[in-house]
Amino acid sequence: MDLAGALCHLLWPQQCASCGAPGEALCSDCEAMLPPRLSPVCLVCGAPAPCKTHGVKYVLHSRTPHEGTARELVLKSKYGRWGELAYRLGQLAAEGVELSPGNWSVAAVPPRRYFWKTSFPHTLWLRRGAAAQLKLPQSSPLRWNARTERQTEKKTRTARLAMNPKSFAAADCEAKDFILIDDVTTTGTTLRLAAKTLYAAGARRVACLSWSRALSD
């Protein structure tokens, strides 16, 4: 922790986002109460990964179902602008993920930029946590390429699946491998389009990662 961080911690002691106990953004007792880790699935068809149709090209690793405490934690990290909590969620999301040898780095679905503001970069905090857990460098190959309505504003599955296929642009991906992280996966559309963009830009492998995954719409 740097001097500024230490000073802030002294002035505003951190509490667990779940139980309120002083100390860490998420205490060990609350971490122990999280559900077992979800098994990997295919982002395209939802079958257990690797699936027979799509192989390992669009594998999604998620830590927990998007419900209960797990849902509240990601909402607090995002809308409460709680970077330390997002960092810890990124660590827990990456915990136990096994990678074959390669030129790996950790990328994130980039924060949205609006005319009047930039959204809180919680996905970048997630990226930092995942990179620390996996002992990998971070990278920023993606950017938003088209104006598109936020997925959370779309009320139906059909609307979420209709995301603009040119929403992202990517650069500096040739012969590289990426762990691509986002906070929540509902239909998988955002991560799938982001992964497709990386592949189109020359990425060799993309492994997708999220803190939580909706098990039903």
Side-chain angles (χ1 to χ4, degrees):
M1 182 181 293
D2 60 18
L3 180 60
L7 181 60
C8 288
H9 188 74
L10 288 173
L11 295 175
W12 300 284
Q14 188 161 241
Q15 295 180 322
C16 173
S18 181
C19 70
E24 303 299 327
L26 186 61
C27 72
S28 58
D29 288 342
C30 290
E31 287 181 8
M33 295 175 65
L34 291 170
R37 186 177 189 88
L38 294 175
S39 298
V41 296
C42 175
L43 264 175
V44 179
C45 65
C51 77
K52 294 181 179 179
T53 304
H54 306 102
V56 297
K57 196 171 183 180
Y58 294 102
V59 174
L60 170 66
H61 304 267
S62 300
R63 172 59 184 85
T64 181
H66 187 59
E67 58 190 27
T69 298
R71 178 179 180 275
E72 293 302 317
L73 289 172
V74 76
L75 292 177
K76 285 182 179 181
S77 73
K78 182 176 183 178
Y79 298 111
R81 306 176 72 86
W82 196 340
E84 292 83 0
L85 176 58
Y87 180 94
R88 184 55 184 153
L89 300 186
Q91 286 184 305
L92 293 172
E95 197 173 58
V97 173
E98 297 182 357
L99 301 171
S100 56
N103 186 21
W104 292 98
S105 65
V106 182
V109 171
R112 289 176 179 269
R113 297 183 182 275
Y114 304 98
F115 179 74
W116 65 94
K117 67 175 182 178
T118 300
S119 61
F120 177 67
H122 72 290
T123 56
L124 303 188
W125 282 92
L126 288 167
R127 182 187 69 182
R128 288 175 61 187
Q133 180 67 33
L134 295 169
K135 296 180 173 57
L136 292 173
Q138 301 175 61
S139 60
S140 302
L142 287 166
R143 63 176 175 83
W144 286 99
N145 188 50
R147 292 187 64 182
T148 179
E149 187 180 7
R150 290 183 295 180
Q151 291 294 79
T152 52
E153 295 173 352
K154 298 177 180 179
K155 303 304 181 184
T156 66
R157 179 180 178 85
T158 300
R160 290 171 182 164
L161 290 170
M163 187 175 175
N164 187 338
K166 297 182 179 180
S167 292
F168 298 103
D172 194 25
C173 299
E174 194 68 35
K176 294 182 178 179
D177 308 310
F178 296 97
I179 295 284
L180 177 60
I181 190 167
D182 201 2
D183 53 357
V184 181
T185 307
T186 50
T187 62
T189 306
T190 301
L191 276 174
R192 185 170 65 251
L193 290 181
K196 280 187 174 182
T197 302
L198 293 175
Y199 280 125
R204 183 171 50 186
R205 287 173 294 183
V206 181
C208 293
L209 181 65
S210 69
W211 161 249
S212 58
R213 171 164 58 91
L215 299 185
S216 61
D217 277 348

